[in-house]
């Protein structure tokens, strides 16, 4: 296919595709899907080989958010029955992070709900970063605390943070339909503040919120222009009790096309398979490893992922390898001065009778949306 040959050549040269080419990837047929994955896989292997970076989320403060982001189970007015708790103490967060590192995570992502941190919150997170690095000196720390104000990014970096995450989520044109309590420009400003402070910027998107192909291309092109080091691609988890609970717009095939398009537009950045992969990719997850070079290990902020052990088995079975702490993630030309970013065994349950499993009728798989009930904020061991 001429389109794919052109996109591979551009990806190997780090050349931006045209909007028409990106849209054409999203419009390819299911019959062409394996060719699309193979082509984007060439670009992924050029810059990242067969390495997969593992990341682990620690939700420092769950729920109780004053913002109205329609996709979020922690939003103002959410009726989702998620865990709700205020700030974890530094030693509690460090213990949670240690479980992820023991499971193979190279980066720990510290996330807190809310519009943005107060200066006291920054102090609290700084103490948490220091506590984690005392136990795991080489681990990368990414903070995700909302909108940043003057000096906060610099303070986080001084405390030992390596990166800062703030997603654009969707296109500028549709942002007001998803969130009204802050703007798209506010999000761009926070990513730029992180970059100016010398933090590695992490910014991505959420697919499946009812957006068009043009919206997806818009946000990925905006990310290319913003130039973060990592781009997490989330697939909407339609939590009951949120405004987008009925938005089941994704198939495994569409998810793979979205990931391929993102790789072609952002060929040499860390593209991360993030929230919702189990819900929407399901048994097609291993194919996504040919497109992304980074995943989250175990559970997410308010939902449960597949077992960490299953993640590791999937990576090995697909012929990939977990990226070690002694390996720099980013290609040499992207490495700046931002630092290194550039589980308990449980018994297996008896297999269930496959006749008892739900069949795929094309209906929404609400059975795959599981609220997190373990790990941070609970007395149960985390999934890592």
């Amino acid at each position: 296919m001429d389109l794919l040959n052109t996109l591979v050549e551009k990806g190997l040269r780090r050349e931006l595709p045209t909007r028409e080419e990106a849209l054409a990837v999203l419009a390819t047929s299911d019959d062409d899907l394996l060719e699309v994955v193979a082509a984007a896989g060439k670009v992924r292997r050029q810059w990242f080989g067969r390495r997969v970076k593992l990341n682990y989320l620690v939700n420092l403060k769950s729920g109780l958010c004053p913002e109205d982001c329609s996709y979020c189970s922690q939003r103002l007015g959410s009726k989702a029955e998620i865990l709700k708790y205020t700030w974890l103490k530094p030693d509690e967060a460090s213990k949670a992070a240690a479980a992820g590192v023991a499971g193979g995570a190279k980066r720990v992502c510290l996330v807190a709900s809310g519009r943005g941190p107060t200066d006291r919150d920054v102090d609290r997170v700084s103490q948490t970063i220091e506590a984690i690095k005392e136990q795991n000196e080489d681990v990368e720390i990414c903070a995700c605390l909302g909108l940043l104000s003057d000096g906060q990014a610099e303070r986080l970096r001084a405390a030992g943070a390596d990166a800062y995450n703030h997603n654009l989520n969707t296109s500028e044109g549709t942002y007001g339909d998803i969130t009204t309590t802050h703007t798209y420009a506010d999000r761009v400003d926070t990513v730029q503040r992180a970059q100016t402070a010398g933090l590695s910027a992490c910014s991505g998107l959420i697919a499946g919120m009812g957006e068009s192909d043009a919206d997806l291309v818009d946000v990925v092109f905006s990310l290319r222009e913003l130039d973060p080091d990592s781009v997490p691609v989330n697939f909407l988890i339609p939590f009951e009790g949120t405004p987008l609970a009925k938005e089941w717009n994704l198939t495994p095939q569409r998810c793979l096309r979205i990931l391929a398009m993102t790789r072609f537009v952002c060929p040499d950045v860390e593209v991360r398979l993030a929230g919702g992969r189990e819900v929407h990719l399901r048994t097609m997850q291993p194919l996504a490893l040919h497109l992304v070079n980074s995943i989250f290990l175990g559970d997410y902020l308010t939902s449960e992922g597949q077992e960490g052990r299953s993640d590791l088995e999937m990576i090995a079975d697909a012929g990939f390898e977990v990226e070690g702490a002694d390996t720099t993630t980013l290609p040499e030309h992207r490495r700046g001065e931002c630092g290194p970013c550039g589980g308990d065994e449980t018994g297996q349950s008896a297999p269930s009778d496959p006749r008892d499993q739900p069949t795929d009728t094309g209906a929404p798989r609400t059975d795959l949306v599981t609220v997190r009930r373990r790990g941070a904020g609970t007395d149960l061991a985390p999934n890592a």
Side-chain angles (χ1 to χ4, degrees):
M1 189 185 296
D2 289 342
L3 167 68
L4 297 178
N5 291 334
T6 297
L7 288 169
V8 170
E9 291 172 4
K10 288 186 173 183
L12 299 183
R13 297 194 302 261
R14 294 185 286 135
E15 183 180 332
L16 181 67
T18 66
R19 286 182 53 84
E20 291 72 22
E21 289 166 342
L23 285 166
V25 172
L26 296 179
T28 52
S29 71
D30 289 351
D31 289 342
D32 295 327
L33 181 62
L34 289 181
E35 292 182 57
V36 173
V37 172
K42 291 179 182 178
V43 179
R44 179 249 199 267
R45 289 191 299 277
Q46 164 72 18
W47 301 112
F48 300 97
R50 302 190 74 84
R51 294 177 283 116
V52 179
K53 180 177 179 178
L54 299 182
N55 307 265
Y56 189 68
L57 283 169
V58 178
N59 197 355
L60 296 178
K61 180 167 73 77
S62 183
L64 314 173
C65 185
E67 302 298 286
D68 69 352
C69 306
S70 298
Y71 52 81
C72 185
S73 60
Q74 304 183 77
R75 73 187 297 272
L76 178 70
S78 170
K79 293 180 173 58
E81 297 180 356
I82 61 169
L83 292 169
K84 295 183 176 68
Y85 53 86
T86 190
W87 290 93
L88 297 181
K89 294 183 174 63
D91 61 325
E92 294 172 326
S94 180
K95 183 179 179 180
V101 174
K106 181 176 179 177
R107 171 176 286 191
V108 171
C109 304
L110 302 176
V111 187
S113 60
R115 179 178 178 83
T118 64
D119 286 341
R120 182 183 177 189
D121 293 336
V122 172
D123 288 339
R124 194 189 326 257
V125 175
S126 296
Q127 292 168 10
T128 298
I129 293 170
E130 291 165 3
I132 292 172
K133 293 226 169 184
E134 281 179 8
Q135 299 298 317
N136 299 282
E137 182 179 358
D138 294 330
V139 72
E140 295 176 11
I141 301 291
C142 180
C144 177
L145 312 174
L147 302 173
L148 294 174
S149 56
D150 290 346
Q152 291 183 328
E154 288 78 6
R155 291 171 59 196
L156 289 167
R157 189 184 183 207
D162 301 288
Y164 196 84
N165 165 263
H166 201 60
N167 294 331
L168 298 187
N169 289 328
T170 192
S171 68
E172 183 174 12
T174 59
Y175 196 84
D177 298 331
I178 299 298
T179 304
T180 66
T181 48
H182 60 267
T183 67
Y184 181 90
D186 290 332
R187 288 188 170 268
V188 171
D189 176 71
T190 283
V191 176
Q192 292 173 335
R193 285 177 184 269
Q195 290 171 318
T196 299
L199 291 167
S200 176
C202 173
S203 187
L205 64 141
I206 303 173
M209 297 190 291
E211 70 283 336
S212 66
D213 284 2
D215 291 322
L216 287 170
V217 170
D218 281 349
V219 67
V220 176
F221 270 59
S222 294
L223 288 165
R224 167 77 182 236
E225 183 176 359
L226 198 54
D227 197 29
D229 289 326
S230 57
V231 174
V233 180
N234 298 276
F235 300 109
L236 177 71
I237 301 177
F239 279 97
E240 289 296 331
T242 65
L244 298 184
K246 306 305 179 187
E247 294 286 345
W248 289 85
N249 305 306
L250 298 171
T251 63
Q253 293 81 6
R254 179 159 174 79
C255 291
L256 290 170
R257 284 191 283 268
I258 291 168
L259 292 170
M261 184 271 289
T262 304
R263 173 57 71 195
F264 285 130
V265 177
C266 304
D268 60 336
V269 307
E270 177 187 340
V271 177
R272 184 178 310 141
L273 183 56
R277 63 179 166 96
E278 299 89 345
V279 177
H280 297 292
L281 278 162
R282 303 190 287 278
T283 58
M284 302 279 272
Q285 289 181 69
L287 271 182
L289 296 177
H290 293 271
L291 308 171
V292 305
N293 63 293
S294 179
I295 68 170
F296 278 112
L297 178 73
D299 294 332
Y300 304 99
L301 296 176
T302 61
S303 66
E304 294 193 352
Q306 67 186 23
E307 289 187 3
R309 179 172 54 184
S310 296
D311 289 335
L312 298 177
E313 290 173 350
M314 176 181 71
I315 291 168
D317 289 348
F320 292 85
E321 60 185 23
V322 173
E323 182 175 291
D326 58 346
T327 302
T328 302
T329 300
L330 296 175
E332 186 172 358
H333 64 268
R334 289 196 64 89
R335 299 174 197 169
E337 299 179 355
C338 62
C341 1
D344 295 337
E345 284 214 0
T346 57
Q348 295 240 3
S349 59
S352 57
D353 189 329
R355 292 171 296 182
D356 295 332
Q357 300 302 313
T359 56
D360 187 0
T361 61
R365 288 295 304 277
T366 55
D367 59 300
L368 294 177
V369 179
T370 305
V371 173
R372 181 173 67 84
R373 300 296 183 202
R374 59 191 172 189
T378 77
D379 295 327
L380 300 178
N383 174 24

